[in-house]
Amino acid sequence: HADLSYTLRPAKGSCLHCLQLPPVGGDTLFANMALAFEALSPAMQRLVEGLEAVHDLTHGRSHQDATPEQRAATAKRNPPVIQPLVHVHPQTGRKALWLSEWMCTRIVGMTEAEGRGILDFLCRHSTREEFTFRQRWRVGDVLMWDNRATVHMALADYPLNAQREMLRTSISGAPLGR
């Protein structure tokens, strides 16, 4: 996911500081969404450039076990927003995919089947090994990233009773979406 993509003011950047790690696991994966866009065929680039996706916090992994009441309360505080599927980085001018498997529910103006096929393809494509980086944390590490061209995922590949403690902060971004 990209931090706060489900809001009208997604994070510009984020920073993690590793305080405590489990004995094994707990890495974070990052994907370069500009490289992923650039590796698409010209025909696919043209197709996705004009599309918009719905980003919905209640679709995320953190809400998969939520009750209907909890989902409704979250949706009231954070209603779904529509974001461009491709956006232009304001400093570099590079185009980047702007989607997340956990937040994107559908593509505006398409049937569920049409949109799901495109979203699933783009999520698989953007997380291919050649676009990714794996942060193998050590206590004390600090990592910053540009949230406008990156998605990330903390791996839950450690025992449930183990501790992984991170301090995260996000840098407020420019308005995006509707």
Side-chain angles (χ1 to χ4, degrees):
H1 68 279
D3 291 334
L4 303 173
S5 73
Y6 57 88
T7 72
L8 294 175
R9 203 173 193 77
K12 177 180 186 177
S14 296
C15 180
L16 273 180
H17 179 202
C18 179
L19 300 177
Q20 184 177 358
L21 285 171
V24 295
D27 296 345
T28 304
L29 296 177
F30 293 86
N32 183 322
M33 301 302 271
L35 284 178
F37 175 79
E38 291 162 1
L40 293 171
S41 69
M44 182 59 85
Q45 287 178 355
R46 284 190 302 277
L47 172 69
V48 299
E49 277 188 89
L51 299 177
E52 298 175 307
V54 176
H55 290 237
D56 184 348
L57 177 59
T58 65
H59 184 69
R61 185 172 76 173
S62 63
H63 287 79
Q64 68 189 35
D65 296 327
T67 65
E69 295 79 17
Q70 291 168 323
R71 283 181 191 262
T74 298
K76 186 174 182 180
R77 285 189 314 274
N78 297 284
V81 299
I82 296 171
Q83 299 283 9
L85 203 48
V86 175
H87 70 105
V88 177
H89 192 284
Q91 274 75 45
T92 67
R94 288 175 77 184
K95 293 177 182 176
L97 293 172
W98 185 245
L99 78 152
S100 163
E101 181 179 3
W102 295 344
M103 298 297 161
C104 292
T105 58
R106 63 185 178 85
I107 293 179
V108 176
M110 291 191 168
T111 67
E112 174 68 24
E114 292 168 338
R116 188 80 263 147
I118 292 170
L119 290 173
D120 289 347
F121 167 77
L122 291 173
C123 287
R124 282 191 320 275
H125 169 79
S126 64
T127 55
R128 289 181 1 206
E129 188 175 349
E130 62 265 35
F131 309 133
T132 62
F133 164 76
R134 183 179 190 132
Q135 172 65 23
R136 297 185 193 279
W137 294 101
R138 293 174 299 171
V139 172
D141 283 353
V142 175
L143 184 89
M144 290 184 73
W145 66 92
D146 187 330
N147 195 64
R148 299 162 299 182
T150 310
V151 292
H152 63 281
M153 178 178 77
L155 298 178
D157 59 351
Y158 51 90
L160 291 175
N161 62 347
Q163 296 293 315
R164 178 184 186 267
E165 184 179 359
M166 303 282 193
L167 287 180
R168 187 196 84 180
T169 189
S170 293
I171 302 163
S172 184
L176 182 68
R178 57 186 174 92

